[in-house]
Amino acid sequence: MSASQTSPSDVPTLLVKIFGKDRPGITAGLFDTLAAYSVDVVDIEQVVTRGRMVLCALVTAPPRALEGDLRATVHSWAESIKMQAEIISGLGDNRPRGLGRSLVTVLGHPLTAEATAAIAAKIAKAGGNIDRIFRLAKYPVTAVEFAVSGVATEALRTALVTDAAKLGVDVAVVAAGLHRRAQRLVVMDVDSTLIQDEVIELFAAHAGCEDEVAEVTAAAMRGELDFEQSLHARVALLEGLDASVVDKVRSEVRLTPGARTLIRTLKRLGFQVGVVSGGFTQVTDDLKDRLGLDFAQANTLEIVDGKLTGKVTGEIVDRAGKARLLRRFAAEAGVPLSQTVAIGDGANDLDMLNAAGLGVAFNAKPVVREAAHTAVNVPFLDTVLYLLGVTREEVEAADAHEED
């Protein structure tokens, strides 16, 4: 049995670092060179940034009599391909990662050096160590992921999320582990989240009471009014409106940028996707059909003799109702609540955001940003994918494959 298989901490090892302009064949060339000395591979890591490569190989050291020759041969090989080499002696493998492992996703538009320095400093101050950094996307925002160990996820989230807005970035902190790649359920609010509009205001525009309805809507979303009372008050203003306006409103609805990409990608990943809305089934049912959603629930405008009565029928979908529906959808989907993601912008989304495994405040009111697990403050809904570890390159590759 070789020394690397027994992995004692006192086994001599060499850290071989190769860096320079990237090109095909470098990794194969390095290990071809090392193979002549019958070393075993303990660890490998490679990164390429703007065409410059850093390749690190941790290998068992050869017999002492051969180590000098190995060093000279590696340096000579690197020089022959116009690369640089550095070889450092040591003992054993990498030091064990600390307990408490988290993934920190940082979104910036742009991501400044100042913000990056502040995030890294806060991680260190919280007792965490940055083990790896990986870029998830370069547009429409810059998204990077830090793998952090040595500090509990909740403590790290508290340390990072509080001041993120002041730094001009969005930060999400989730526990690392297999659950990151498990099947999930994603449930979204509709108005000002999945779509850019407030549906009741679209109806109100046809009834000539848009300003009055908008004022009540804004107060309700800020948490200043009871949602159910505000709903009844606003819907009452629509009494007598012809039912034909439903088709007009459906045609006026504008999806949030990135909404189709988000849903299409989630479905490809095998996730289930739903919406819950304080708006109306007359619109959400249409969205469910158009976007291929798995679940949809909202209030229903009562229509009698081709006219809106100014009332809603059935169970009211309010703040508590959204959380209840999240739990119901999760049960029907066979997904643990801890594996759910909720996305919303208003005060009536708070219970749902807090009940989910990950609650995302999307361009939300201040009261919602402060209470949610994380906030996204850029106008692209598909940036939520980065919080789930999906890269922009993976999204584009999947789109290109489908087009082929």
Side-chain angles (χ1 to χ4, degrees):
M1 183 176 290
S2 71
S4 65
Q5 290 173 311
T6 57
S7 298
S9 60
D10 59 349
V11 170
T13 52
L14 298 177
L15 174 60
V16 182
K17 182 167 73 172
I18 306 296
F19 48 100
K21 185 177 180 181
D22 186 32
R23 74 204 73 171
I26 293 174
T27 304
L30 172 61
F31 286 99
D32 268 344
T33 303
L34 293 173
Y37 298 90
S38 299
V39 298
D40 295 332
V41 177
V42 179
D43 196 4
I44 311 172
E45 193 154 339
Q46 179 175 309
V47 63
V48 178
T49 304
R50 211 179 68 176
R52 309 296 291 185
M53 182 185 80
V54 178
L55 168 60
C56 292
L58 185 64
V59 299
T60 55
R64 185 174 297 275
L66 295 177
E67 184 174 327
D69 188 54
L70 179 150
R71 288 173 175 269
T73 302
V74 169
H75 279 286
S76 177
W77 167 78
E79 197 173 307
S80 72
I81 59 170
K82 298 181 179 179
M83 301 285 282
Q84 297 182 63
E86 181 180 2
I87 304 176
I88 303 171
S89 298
L91 294 175
D93 199 346
N94 306 307
R95 64 182 178 83
R97 294 177 64 188
L99 296 177
R101 300 183 183 182
S102 305
L103 297 171
V104 178
T105 306
V106 181
L107 309 179
H109 189 54
L111 178 61
T112 66
E114 180 183 10
T116 306
I119 293 295
K122 286 178 178 291
I123 291 172
K125 187 175 180 180
N129 184 72
I130 300 173
D131 300 313
R132 288 185 178 86
I133 304 175
F134 177 72
R135 187 179 72 180
L136 296 167
K138 60 184 178 181
Y139 70 92
V141 300
T142 300
V144 294
E145 181 178 271
F146 296 76
V148 178
S149 61
V151 59
T153 299
E154 286 301 324
L156 186 61
R157 180 182 292 140
T158 300
L160 295 181
V161 173
T162 306
D163 296 327
K166 296 178 183 177
L167 298 172
V169 295
D170 299 323
V171 179
V173 182
V174 299
L178 288 175
H179 67 276
R180 186 79 180 281
R181 295 187 292 275
Q183 184 191 55
R184 293 200 182 195
L185 166 69
V186 178
V187 176
M188 289 174 276
D189 173 44
V190 176
D191 294 8
S192 299
T193 299
L194 177 63
I195 66 174
Q196 301 177 59
D197 312 282
E198 292 288 334
V199 168
I200 196 165
E201 292 177 14
L202 297 179
F203 277 101
H206 292 280
C209 56
E210 185 177 11
D211 291 343
E212 189 175 352
V213 165
E215 183 178 339
V216 178
T217 298
M221 292 301 99
R222 291 192 299 266
E224 297 171 3
L225 293 177
D226 172 80
F227 178 80
E228 184 171 350
Q229 291 177 336
S230 71
L231 175 68
H232 289 303
R234 289 174 291 173
V235 171
L237 297 170
L238 306 180
E239 183 180 1
L241 200 59
D242 193 275
S244 62
V245 78
V246 168
D247 288 335
K248 295 177 183 177
V249 167
R250 286 175 174 172
S251 68
E252 292 166 352
V253 165
R254 299 167 300 162
L255 292 174
T256 297
R260 288 187 183 277
T261 300
L262 172 66
I263 294 170
R264 181 173 65 246
T265 305
L266 291 173
K267 298 295 288 182
R268 286 172 176 164
L269 289 169
F271 291 9
Q272 298 189 59
V273 186
V275 294
V276 291
S277 176
F280 310 109
T281 56
Q282 281 84 356
V283 170
T284 58
D285 287 350
D286 180 60
L287 289 170
K288 181 181 180 183
D289 292 340
R290 286 168 51 195
L291 300 174
L293 302 174
D294 299 285
F295 305 97
Q297 189 68 45
N299 302 301
T300 299
L301 291 169
E302 184 180 64
I303 298 175
V304 177
D305 296 330
K307 303 285 185 182
L308 274 64
T309 66
K311 299 177 182 178
V312 292
T313 62
E315 179 183 4
I316 297 297
V317 179
D318 57 7
R319 175 169 170 168
K322 287 188 173 186
R324 185 168 58 251
L325 287 165
L326 172 71
R327 293 186 177 92
R328 182 193 303 173
F329 293 167
E332 292 178 12
V335 174
L337 201 59
S338 61
Q339 289 299 111
T340 61
V341 179
I343 310 168
D345 75 299
N348 65 328
D349 297 314
L350 275 174
D351 289 1
M352 174 178 73
L353 297 180
N354 289 327
L358 177 64
V360 181
F362 181 74
N363 291 312
K365 317 304 183 283
V367 65
V368 182
R369 289 200 304 268
E370 292 167 7
H373 297 137
T374 189
V376 171
N377 295 300
V378 293
F380 312 108
L381 193 57
D382 54 338
T383 55
V384 173
L385 291 168
Y386 310 143
L387 307 184
L388 304 177
V390 181
T391 69
R392 171 56 62 179
E393 287 79 7
E394 288 170 329
V395 173
E396 292 177 347
D399 285 343
H401 179 73
E402 186 167 283
E403 290 173 3
D404 292 342

